[in-house]
Amino acid sequence: MQRFFDTTFRPFFLLTGAITAGAAGLLFLPAWTLKMIFQLDYVPAYTVLAQHWGAMVGLVGLAMILAALRSEWRTPILIFVGLEKACLVLLVLMNWGQPAAAGFVGGALMDVLVSLYILGYFWARPRSVRG
């Protein structure tokens, strides 16, 4: 199992990190990104909130890319990323049936995949590394 993660970690986190970093589109083009990517109506009163969320998630994506490139940074980044992604999944599930939740289903599906990958990564680590 450890060999699987040794082989796939870098490409997996470069790809999912780049996709996650794409949320930074909200920072620069909030109206377009909300409509085209999230299929949500743009509400000008929430522009700062959408931009802030885009900045935060964009930085999470950047952190994922850094984790792929810098093995010594992986553990703290993966703990944070796993918690952040699990929170989005939980929020989408809690708001299931609400019209706005539909715009986040694709992201939540990817976040489930990333969260499960992170759990597997930590589970597969040698016992001596886990402590």
Side-chain angles (χ1 to χ4, degrees), residues 1-2 10 13 20 24 38-39 57 63 87 91-92 103-104 120-121:
M1 190 69 147
Q2 182 63 42
R10 183 171 288 194
F13 270 85
T20 299
F38 294 100
Q39 304 296 306
V57 176
C87 283
L91 290 171
V92 169
F104 294 94
Y121 173 83

Side-chain angles (χ1 to χ4, degrees), residues 8-118:
T8 63
F9 190 91
R10 183 171 288 194
F12 182 82
F13 270 85
L14 287 173
L15 177 63
T16 58
I19 293 168
T20 299
L26 283 166
L27 177 61
F28 304 106
L29 299 166
W32 184 88
T33 306
L34 284 168
K35 187 67 177 163
M36 302 306 290
I37 304 299
F38 294 100
Q39 304 296 306
L40 295 171
D41 293 329
Y42 174 66
V43 179
Y46 300 141
T47 299
V48 172
L49 181 63
Q51 289 177 309
H52 184 251
W53 187 79
M56 288 190 311
V57 176
L59 289 169
V60 167
L62 179 61
M64 292 169 70
I65 292 168
L66 289 173
L69 301 173
R70 304 287 304 260
S71 60
E72 64 274 11
W73 293 6
R74 283 188 186 160
T75 297
I77 288 174
L78 293 183
I79 290 169
F80 176 77
V81 167
L83 290 170
E84 184 274 330
K85 294 203 169 283
C87 283
L88 179 66
V89 172
L90 180 62
L91 290 171
V92 169
L93 290 173
M94 288 172 50
N95 290 285
W96 198 258
Q98 299 293 322
F104 294 94
V105 170
L109 290 174
M110 187 183 85
D111 286 0
V112 165
L113 179 65
V114 172
S115 296
L116 291 174
Y117 188 96
I118 289 170

